[in-house]
Amino acid sequence: MEMFLKSCRNVLKGNAEGSPEFHVVLGNEACDLDSMVSALAYAYFLSKTLDSGKIPLPVLNIPRQEFPLRTDNAFLLRESGLSQDDLVFRDEVDLGSLHRAGRLDLTLVDHNVLPSSDRDLEEAVVEVIDHHLLERKPSPSCPVTMETVGSCTTLVTERIIQKAPEVLDQQVAQLLYGTIVLDCVNMAPEAGKVTPKDSQYAVLLETRFPNLPPRGVLFQSLQNAKFDVSGLTTEQMLLKDMKVASERDLKLAVSVIYMTLEAFLQRQSLQQELCEFCHKHSYNLVVAMTISFKDNKEPFRQLAVYSSSTLYREEMSQALEQARNPSLILSPMSSPYSDIKAYLQGNTLASRKKVLPIIKDFLRDRERSAVHCGNLEESYEAPRQRACTEDAGIEEDSHFPPTPMNSLVEGCPLDNGLPKISAEALTEKFSNMASQEENAGGH
């Protein structure tokens, strides 16, 4: 694996003859451990089995500067004897240029659809291996391996063992094994992540490579590394494990936060920092899903919705509260901030993998509603978002309901052409009402 990764870096530096073609294996934009190891292991597998003449290249789908935030990724690499200096990151290779030049094949691992920012690469996708809800439309030119196991790495392990078991060595096995164990919460059934297939391949790796670290020790080390957020800013905590969803005017970040929501809400100036984060990265809304574990097995989940726009915040919160597939069983919690709605999540098995489809359905429903409105589309104006200030407390549209239309207001759609009431008549009417109230109070 080490020599393979170094050769990939050398090719990218221009140390290859001509204009090589690439078969890129790309993980999702969260670049969690599952995404990283799936990309590395499957590209390595292709380097031993692919005969198309294209160079297999694993690409981590984040900028290099964000990698130190993936503390569990960095830990497992070190423990497996690999250097992050040999990795290739998204900001180091121009996939768009390769595709336009006809030099790119693309395999997606740990996700099955490209985000809107990468839609131009869709024609290059030749294969998908994933364990999330299938959103991709069937295509004869793109085989899809999709099974809702606990870890995408399980499916990559299965492919390697079935097609080229000789590719496995101690180093590759440790990467695969550590990821399966972490994703499946030490294979504990009560965590609701592990499936029989995950267990099957974890045991197979243990049997074939008896010198792998003990399961419990490896899990605890990875878990400690993953939950180490000491010294991180709010922005870094949000970026550490984040996915993005967008449709039309609304772009939102869905971040997993590795602490309790109470601790997260106690961060100094949190609302201002969330506001600045949204402005910097052009998000309208943030959904923060906090996770901690009871006795290192059973997950404890809470959820927060932030937006400086009341409309976005209320719409998203309502969609999550009313979700039925699955039901999140949300119970409101006290929040010290006007722009943050907080919840206890009763359905502790509903990870982000299961919440993201709810959010994407919500976005599609908004889009369909906008299209259904037809001529309202052009005149639509997105809700204004407040500038970030120290108090960040009162938003122009946050605490005052819109003035209701009624039969006394000019332009009411119910007046049907009836004569308008003058300002003088309105004044006289309210004066009479006040007098009547005074007389009633005197009795």
Side-chain angles (χ1 to χ4, degrees):
M1 173 72 83
E2 183 178 6
M3 294 305 298
F4 163 67
L5 295 177
K6 289 183 180 296
S7 68
C8 290
R9 293 290 305 173
N10 286 333
V11 170
L12 282 182
K13 289 177 181 178
N15 300 331
E17 295 181 3
S19 300
E21 297 182 356
F22 293 93
H23 187 131
V24 168
V25 183
L26 183 69
N28 66 49
E29 70 270 25
C31 195
D32 57 5
L33 189 64
D34 195 18
S35 185
M36 180 189 78
V37 171
S38 292
L40 294 178
Y42 195 64
Y44 183 60
F45 163 78
L46 291 178
S47 74
K48 303 294 186 180
T49 60
L50 196 65
D51 57 4
S52 67
K54 297 190 176 183
I55 299 173
L57 178 67
V59 175
L60 276 60
N61 205 357
I62 54 170
R64 178 176 287 274
Q65 66 179 16
E66 290 184 14
F67 186 73
L69 303 180
R70 275 68 176 178
T71 43
D72 48 338
N73 297 27
F75 175 83
L76 187 57
L77 279 178
R78 287 195 306 270
E79 291 297 301
S80 303
L82 296 171
S83 170
Q84 64 187 63
D85 294 338
D86 295 329
L87 303 178
V88 176
F89 293 86
R90 185 62 191 269
D91 56 341
E92 297 172 335
V93 56
D94 189 341
L95 298 183
S97 293
L98 288 175
H99 176 47
R100 289 188 293 272
R103 297 166 51 200
L104 178 67
D105 281 349
L106 192 59
T107 288
L108 306 182
V109 292
D110 204 23
H111 63 319
N112 61 77
V113 290
L114 290 165
S116 56
S117 56
D118 283 335
R119 281 176 185 161
D120 291 346
L121 301 177
E122 181 57 45
E123 292 179 353
V125 179
V126 297
E127 186 178 12
V128 170
I129 302 175
D130 190 26
H131 67 139
H132 296 88
L133 178 70
L134 186 61
E135 299 177 74
R136 169 171 290 275
K137 295 179 181 179
S139 168
S141 62
C142 179
V144 174
T145 299
M146 201 292 295
E147 189 173 342
T148 52
V149 292
S151 177
C152 184
T153 308
T154 295
L155 302 178
V156 174
T157 304
E158 179 179 52
R159 178 70 61 87
I160 294 173
I161 288 176
Q162 288 180 349
K163 299 293 185 181
E166 68 278 3
V167 168
L168 283 178
D169 57 22
Q170 179 76 23
Q171 191 174 56
V172 176
Q174 183 160 318
L175 290 172
L176 296 168
Y177 180 66
T179 306
I180 295 171
V181 169
L182 181 65
D183 268 0
C184 297
V185 195
N186 203 22
M187 321 310 284
E190 55 266 43
K193 299 290 289 291
V194 65
T195 69
K197 181 168 284 191
D198 297 301
S199 295
Q200 173 190 347
Y201 284 101
V203 169
L204 191 152
L205 290 169
E206 289 171 341
T207 302
R208 185 167 172 184
F209 298 94
N211 291 328
L212 286 171
R215 182 189 292 184
V217 174
L218 182 58
F219 168 74
Q220 195 58 59
S221 297
L222 286 167
Q223 184 87 322
N224 290 343
K226 184 174 185 176
F227 278 75
D228 182 8
V229 293
S230 56
L232 296 188
T233 65
T234 297
E235 179 183 23
Q236 289 172 329
M237 292 178 67
L238 293 167
L239 291 172
K240 176 179 171 68
D241 193 351
M242 183 184 79
K243 290 188 177 181
V244 178
S246 62
E247 194 73 58
R248 197 166 169 262
D249 60 291
L250 182 53
K251 182 181 179 184
L252 60 93
V254 186
S255 296
V256 178
I257 304 295
Y258 295 97
M259 59 171 54
T260 64
L261 184 53
E262 289 87 351
F264 187 60
L265 291 174
Q266 287 172 10
R267 293 178 69 86
Q268 189 173 11
S269 304
L270 176 65
Q271 184 161 285
Q272 181 188 356
E273 291 178 335
L274 288 170
C275 184
E276 291 170 352
F277 174 80
C278 286
H279 278 266
K280 179 177 179 179
H281 298 279
S282 301
Y283 297 127
N284 311 101
L285 193 147
V286 173
V287 176
M289 300 184 64
T290 69
I291 182 170
S292 53
F293 283 90
K294 299 176 182 178
D295 301 323
N296 290 321
K297 290 183 179 181
E298 186 179 348
F300 176 69
R301 297 183 186 275
Q302 296 161 296
L303 185 148
V305 178
Y306 164 81
S307 179
S308 64
S309 160
T310 301
L311 177 64
Y312 289 147
R313 187 171 61 252
E314 293 299 325
E315 284 185 343
M316 184 74 265
S317 298
Q318 187 177 58
L320 294 170
E321 290 172 9
Q322 296 177 354
R324 291 295 174 266
N325 189 25
S327 172
L328 303 182
I329 316 177
L330 298 180
S331 303
M333 293 172 52
S334 175
S335 169
Y337 299 104
S338 59
D339 291 354
I340 301 175
K341 298 196 74 169
Y343 299 93
L344 173 67
Q345 183 178 317
N347 182 355
T348 59
L349 301 184
S351 63
R352 183 177 57 189
K353 184 169 72 171
K354 296 180 180 178
V355 173
L356 261 179
I358 296 172
I359 292 173
K360 291 182 178 180
D361 284 344
F362 157 72
L363 292 174
R364 282 190 286 266
D365 287 344
R366 289 184 83 255
E367 176 68 11
R368 280 193 291 267
S369 297
V371 172
H372 182 69
C373 289
N375 60 344
L376 294 180
E377 183 90 12
E378 293 181 3
S379 60
Y380 176 85
E381 183 178 350
R384 288 178 298 171
Q385 291 186 262
R386 185 185 58 250
C388 303
T389 57
E390 282 294 334
D391 57 7
I394 298 178
E395 172 198 346
E396 286 185 51
D397 71 334
S398 62
H399 297 293
F400 303 100
T403 303
M405 283 189 174
N406 57 58
S407 59
L408 300 180
V409 179
E410 182 173 349
C412 172
L414 302 179
D415 65 9
N416 292 322
L418 295 174
K420 302 294 188 294
I421 300 176
S422 66
E424 291 80 11
L426 281 174
T427 302
E428 182 179 353
K429 185 175 181 71
F430 285 117
S431 296
N432 292 338
M433 291 170 62
S435 298
Q436 291 171 3
E437 289 181 1
E438 286 180 8
N439 293 334
H443 295 297

